[in-house]
Amino acid sequence: MIAFIDDHRVTYGVEPICKVLPIAPSTYHDHVAKRHDPSKLSARAKRDAALKVEVRRVFEENFRVYGVRKVWRQLRREGTGVARCTVTRLMRQMGLEGAIRGKPVRTTVRDKAAPCPLDRVNRQF
């Protein structure tokens, strides 16, 4: 929504767009202020930005095969105190996923365009 408002704010203005969309104008202005001045970000957002660099570094150094558990343990070995759930959240946000062992699960997807078989026993439901 923020990108949409950015694209159309010159034509329509922020407040009229926010009346139509489910967003308060103050929320938009707060987001823009944080984008221009990173010091206004919350403590969690600042720490996440620093941790994302470390998580990506550990992931890349280990040939992009480490999952959440191994990245978390490696960070702990290096002295970075971070919760496992935080590593999970950050890796999910960055789209990082460890190597998965085994074959992928394959399920049958039926063709809805194919005709159904005839009822050969004359069932009555």
Side-chain angles (χ1 to χ4, degrees):
M1 278 195 262
I2 302 296
F4 178 82
I5 295 172
D6 285 340
D7 294 341
H8 297 89
R9 68 182 284 182
V10 176
T11 308
Y12 301 106
V14 174
E15 282 76 18
I17 295 173
C18 290
K19 277 185 182 177
V20 176
L21 298 175
I23 185 172
S26 60
T27 303
Y28 170 75
H29 292 299
D30 184 52
H31 182 80
V32 171
K34 288 178 182 176
R35 190 179 347 161
H36 291 300
D37 186 11
S39 67
K40 293 182 179 181
L41 290 172
S42 66
R44 176 179 169 174
K46 290 176 188 175
R47 182 144 196 270
D48 283 354
L51 284 175
K52 281 182 180 181
V53 174
E54 292 298 313
V55 168
R56 185 169 299 278
R57 178 188 58 79
V58 169
F59 186 75
E60 295 293 335
E61 283 178 359
N62 292 288
F63 307 104
R64 304 176 61 90
V65 297
Y66 271 16
V68 172
R69 184 175 60 93
K70 288 187 176 182
V71 169
W72 171 67
R73 291 182 60 92
Q74 181 62 34
L75 288 171
R76 300 277 307 230
R77 277 193 292 273
E78 294 173 359
T80 305
V82 61
R84 184 173 173 176
C85 59
T86 303
V87 175
T88 303
R89 180 173 49 83
L90 295 177
M91 285 184 70
R92 190 176 300 128
Q93 284 177 358
M94 293 187 293
L96 303 179
E97 188 176 272
I100 300 170
R101 293 182 180 168
K103 294 182 179 180
V105 177
R106 295 185 63 183
T107 59
T108 304
V109 179
R110 73 183 195 105
D111 184 13
K112 293 185 179 184
C116 294
L118 297 173
D119 183 11
R120 296 185 186 258
V121 292
N122 296 323
R123 293 176 291 181
Q124 300 291 325
F125 295 107

